[in-house]
Amino acid sequence: MLSVLRVGAPNRSYVLVGVLRLRTVQFIYHHRTMGRSSQAMHIRSLVEALKADGHQVTIVSPPGVDPLKSAGMMPFLRKADHARGLQRVWKYISCECPQFVFEVFELFYNLFLPFRLLPTLWRQPDAVLYERHAYFMFMGVLLGKWLKRPVFLEVNELAGFTRARGLIMERLARTIDAWIFSRANHVLCVSRVLADEVQQRGARGKSVHVLPNAIDPNRFRTPKSGPSVRARLGLESSMVIGHIGLFYRWDRLDVLIEAVKSIREKHPETRVLLVGDGPEMENLKRTAIRLGMESAVVFSGPVPRDDVPAYIDAMDICVLPDSNAFGSPIALFEFMAMGKPCVVPDLGPMRDVVDDNLTGIMFPQGDYGALERALVRFIEDPTLRTQVGAQARDTVLQRHTWVANARIVVQLAAGASSAKRFAHIEQLDCDTN
């Protein structure tokens, strides 16, 4: 089938003509996550998009893990988070083991992996091995190359960048990465920052591609229910500045609370809505109390993934006060899909997605005075909020859906010559020939 795909951004428009409906491809998707939170959302969303396009996907997970069922659950950050069966084992290892012991478990997973992955590879001799990269994991690539299979690596983080739980054996992790990157047929990175680093660590330039996170448009086409959320939380007459996700130190949500305290001197109707949970929750509550902002900061706690669009709809402005330098935050795509104006730090992963002053406002990372000024611009200019939010929604629906990501993966797997042109036009390829 000959298809025409029109993609565009505010100042550019392209038309791609190519073969988008390729033969059915078999994938074996292997991962070593606990199958919860944003990790599982990424896995489930890509797998469902591949299946919807007619391709076959077999997921190989750690024992007791099923990301298709558990996607969107809170990760094991809190002692009160219940787990059953083998999930109890993974929770104990994650929460209780010293860091060095945890990394030893990660390394020894390689010894277990042949028993888990090899039977599936043998049963599907034509399948592509698609693996979510994890620290110290090399056996999947080794088995794939031994069986002469195409190997895809999806990279979401790398040794040397900030990790939520730290990293002791960094040198070993880098050595393993260099070995697997040099042998993978394709390395798909969620940001250009990671793609550049992957090339420096041994990957062939033509094998490296940038494929940011994305959204499923169907999740954001339901009737909007933000007003009911606002009424339930007592935010009916407020200008709501919101954030949703897991609360890590690097998110600097404490700075957001401080910025809104200053903004409220001129705009007292402004309030903060923080949706989610995480290691910083108690610190954020203490910050709100210390600043006398208890009534101005609303903590919803964690909510089911299906309720996320309603909570975003309850926000007037969405913000990422800070972020790590390499990740592709799913929350950003969800904010944009809901047509919300966003304020984000000027980091590589944000530049992969946001056009400054067109689909969001960017501020220099760490310049929290600029963050405050950007928020005030949106507060004082409702027309700007509407225009930026609408353009953000159009852009993410045109260029950042899981279906589009899946088609790029399929084209690469099928060896179609149009694949690199497609990736380049979408500005998702980081070839540096």
Side-chain angles (χ1 to χ4, degrees):
M1 177 185 296
L2 187 65
S3 300
V4 178
L5 176 66
R6 186 178 301 275
V7 297
N11 291 324
R12 49 191 178 270
S13 181
Y14 308 96
V15 177
L16 172 67
V17 179
V19 179
L20 295 182
R21 174 64 67 181
L22 302 172
R23 64 176 175 83
T24 298
V25 180
Q26 294 182 348
F27 292 93
I28 297 173
Y29 193 124
H30 169 242
H31 72 99
R32 200 194 64 196
T33 77
M34 289 184 285
R36 295 157 75 87
S37 189
S38 58
Q39 298 172 339
M41 287 299 298
H42 188 144
I43 294 169
R44 186 178 74 178
S45 298
L46 182 58
V47 167
E48 289 179 346
L50 288 168
K51 289 182 175 180
D53 216 26
H55 305 286
Q56 300 175 16
V57 185
T58 301
I59 301 178
V60 178
S61 305
V65 171
D66 185 351
L68 299 188
K69 292 182 179 178
S70 59
M73 293 183 182
M74 288 296 295
F76 299 124
L77 292 172
R78 296 174 293 127
K79 303 280 187 182
D81 187 32
H82 299 293
R84 297 177 179 178
L86 283 171
Q87 290 278 3
R88 290 180 179 269
V89 177
W90 310 137
K91 178 180 179 180
Y92 178 83
I93 292 173
S94 176
C95 295
E96 305 297 338
C97 286
Q99 179 61 30
F100 178 75
V101 176
F102 179 79
E103 292 179 18
V104 170
F105 272 109
E106 291 182 305
L107 185 60
F108 272 83
Y109 187 82
N110 290 287
L111 300 180
F112 165 79
L113 188 53
F115 301 97
R116 191 74 175 171
L117 180 60
L118 199 53
T120 305
L121 288 167
W122 275 333
R123 286 195 301 268
Q124 301 183 38
D126 298 322
V128 173
L129 176 59
Y130 186 106
E131 181 169 273
R132 184 183 174 101
H133 165 267
Y135 291 139
F136 308 111
M137 191 165 68
F138 60 85
M139 185 58 70
V141 175
L142 179 62
L143 293 174
K145 303 311 292 184
W146 176 51
L147 295 175
K148 296 182 171 55
R149 304 296 181 81
V151 175
F152 284 44
L153 279 177
E154 175 194 296
V155 178
N156 296 272
E157 61 179 349
L158 284 173
F161 292 92
T162 302
R163 187 189 192 194
R165 62 175 300 139
L167 183 63
I168 294 176
M169 295 190 289
E170 181 178 329
R171 181 175 296 183
L172 177 59
R174 285 174 173 266
T175 300
I176 291 173
D177 282 354
W179 188 87
I180 62 175
F181 292 157
S182 66
R183 286 159 176 80
N185 297 84
H186 295 285
V187 185
L188 307 175
C189 304
V190 296
S191 71
R192 191 170 300 273
V193 171
L194 288 176
D196 292 341
E197 186 65 25
V198 163
Q199 290 191 55
Q200 293 180 24
R201 297 190 187 187
R204 294 169 290 108
K206 291 183 178 180
S207 72
V208 183
H209 313 273
V210 179
L211 203 61
N213 280 319
I215 55 101
D216 175 3
N218 293 324
R219 292 187 60 235
F220 300 92
R221 288 175 179 160
T222 56
K224 294 187 176 182
S225 51
S228 64
V229 172
R230 292 173 70 104
R232 187 168 67 250
L233 299 177
L235 297 169
E236 296 98 325
S237 59
S238 299
M239 172 62 63
V240 180
I241 297 175
H243 175 90
I244 189 165
L246 298 176
F247 305 157
Y248 288 110
R249 177 62 181 168
W250 59 56
D251 293 317
R252 296 314 308 268
L253 295 172
D254 57 327
V255 170
L256 174 61
I257 296 173
E258 293 180 4
V260 172
K261 176 180 173 59
S262 177
I263 290 171
R264 280 171 58 86
E265 294 178 4
K266 186 176 180 181
H267 300 281
E269 76 283 4
T270 305
R271 298 177 71 184
V272 178
L273 173 58
L274 299 180
V275 181
D277 199 352
E280 281 293 291
M281 175 63 88
E282 294 306 315
N283 179 53
L284 294 174
K285 290 180 177 178
R286 288 193 295 269
T287 298
I289 293 172
R290 175 174 57 82
L291 296 175
M293 291 279 286
E294 302 99 311
S295 62
V297 181
V298 176
F299 296 94
S300 75
V303 302
R305 289 297 304 182
D306 290 343
D307 293 345
V308 164
Y311 279 82
I312 296 176
D313 189 44
M315 302 171 186
D316 296 294
I317 303 165
C318 296
V319 61
L320 298 174
D322 213 329
S323 182
N324 61 55
F326 60 88
S328 179
I330 287 180
L332 173 61
F333 299 91
E334 295 179 333
F335 295 156
M336 295 173 72
M338 289 299 296
K340 298 300 176 178
C342 298
V343 177
V344 300
D346 188 3
L347 293 168
M350 309 301 171
R351 291 193 295 272
D352 292 339
V353 180
V354 175
D355 288 301
D356 191 22
N357 290 307
L358 293 171
T359 60
I361 296 179
M362 306 183 78
F363 65 93
Q365 184 192 25
D367 186 345
Y368 299 121
L371 164 64
E372 182 178 328
R373 291 190 293 273
L375 292 172
V376 170
R377 279 185 63 191
F378 276 142
I379 291 171
E380 295 181 345
D381 192 339
T383 300
L384 179 64
R385 293 200 305 271
T386 300
Q387 291 175 344
V388 170
Q391 186 62 63
R393 178 174 169 81
D394 289 345
T395 297
V396 79
L397 293 180
Q398 289 172 0
R399 304 180 62 220
H400 297 292
T401 67
W402 290 113
V403 169
N405 283 13
R407 288 177 178 170
I408 293 173
V409 172
V410 169
Q411 288 198 350
L412 292 172
S417 60
S418 61
K420 292 189 73 62
R421 290 198 299 274
F422 178 78
H424 175 72
I425 288 176
E426 284 281 78
Q427 296 191 338
L428 299 176
D429 185 56
C430 69
D431 228 347
T432 55
N433 291 335

